[in-house]
């Protein structure tokens, strides 16, 4: 026999609209929710409800993953800038020490 999931109508095959909104964690947390399943739901209604719940969960997880990737990228950029600042500072101080005849270790 086929499961209720196989008998239920297929989800829409229209392409997903890409969101250009800048989302933060609060926006993702307050995203669309699925109303509770009524206790007298048919197997087909239950399958549709589960599919909808999974769809929304996957959408939320994709947004969270994208948000985390963006945050990591911004952090990497900031750390690269900071690293270059410290590198320049160290080279300047090494040059100052060398100009006064003070030996300086090279790392």
């Amino acid at each position: 026999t086929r499961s209720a999931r196989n008998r239920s109508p297929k989800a829409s095959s229209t392409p997903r609209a890409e969101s250009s909104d800048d989302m933060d964690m609060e926006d993702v947390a307050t995203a669309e929710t699925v109303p509770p399943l009524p206790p007298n739901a048919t197997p087909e209604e239950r399958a549709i409800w589960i599919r909808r719940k999974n769809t929304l969960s996957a959408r939320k997880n994709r947004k969270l993953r994208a948000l985390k990737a963006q945050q990591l990228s911004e952090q990497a950029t900031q750390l690269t800038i900071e690293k270059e600042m410290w590198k320049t500072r160290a080279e300047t101080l090494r040059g100052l020490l060398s100009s006064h005849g003070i030996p300086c270790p090279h790392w």
Side-chain angles (χ1 to χ4, degrees), residues 79-96:
L79 289 172
T80 300
I81 292 168
E82 190 175 336
K83 178 191 79 157
E84 290 301 321
M85 181 212 45
W86 285 110
K87 183 177 177 182
T88 301
R89 181 179 268 183
E91 289 170 353
T92 301
L93 292 175
R94 183 179 291 129
L96 182 63

Side-chain angles (χ1 to χ4, degrees), residues 2-3 7 13 31 59 76 78 85 87 95 97-98 104:
R2 292 175 21 165
S3 69
R7 287 192 309 260
S13 62
R59 186 175 298 155
Q78 184 60 38
M85 181 212 45
K87 183 177 177 182
L97 288 173
S98 295
C104 184

Side-chain angles (χ1 to χ4, degrees), residues 3-46:
S3 69
R5 180 177 178 166
N6 290 339
R7 287 192 309 260
S8 62
K10 295 283 183 190
S12 172
S13 62
T14 58
R16 256 183 258 135
E18 291 297 321
S19 173
S20 62
D21 301 349
D22 288 327
M23 294 194 65
D24 60 9
M25 295 296 246
E26 186 176 317
D27 291 337
V28 173
T30 60
E32 186 179 352
T33 59
V34 179
L37 183 67
N40 60 346
T42 66
E44 186 173 326
E45 290 172 331
R46 179 172 169 72

